[in-house]
Amino acid sequence: YELFNINRTKLENLLHRVFAAAQLDIEIMDRFGHPSVPREWFLVPLEAVNEAVERLKDGSLTKFVYDPEIAALKTRETC
């Protein structure tokens, strides 16, 4: 994907918030036997990533979250 004029930190935080429900919960031992818990790994189908990018482009991504049960983005429920 090519995205321009976007704050990388804000983008990363937004994507983490949108895909939070699909963050992989795993602990991996490094070569020295120390545990590592990756926070950048998500179990999300490519179609959902593509939709997230399109919604990012049109400015509506903040209104959505990823639902792992349906493997798609859905409207964020307002409180």
Side-chain angles (χ1 to χ4, degrees):
Y1 305 99
E2 289 188 43
L3 301 171
F4 301 92
N5 301 322
I6 292 180
N7 181 305
R8 291 179 297 179
T9 303
K10 288 182 180 180
L11 173 61
E12 182 177 3
N13 290 336
L14 175 59
L15 292 174
H16 276 253
R17 191 169 56 244
V18 169
F19 292 117
Q23 187 174 29
L24 188 60
D25 183 20
I26 189 170
E27 182 176 273
I28 300 170
M29 295 297 176
D30 68 13
R31 64 184 177 165
F32 303 110
H34 300 105
S36 176
V37 180
R39 299 288 178 218
E40 303 293 324
W41 296 0
F42 298 86
L43 297 173
V44 179
L46 184 57
E47 294 82 21
V49 174
N50 290 335
E51 181 181 357
V53 170
E54 290 305 313
R55 295 196 179 278
L56 178 66
K57 289 178 183 178
D58 72 16
S60 67
L61 185 57
T62 58
K63 298 175 185 173
F64 292 85
V65 293
Y66 179 76
D67 183 346
E69 291 185 21
I70 61 172
L73 293 179
K74 69 176 187 177
T75 305
R76 180 183 303 274
E77 296 175 13
T78 57
C79 298

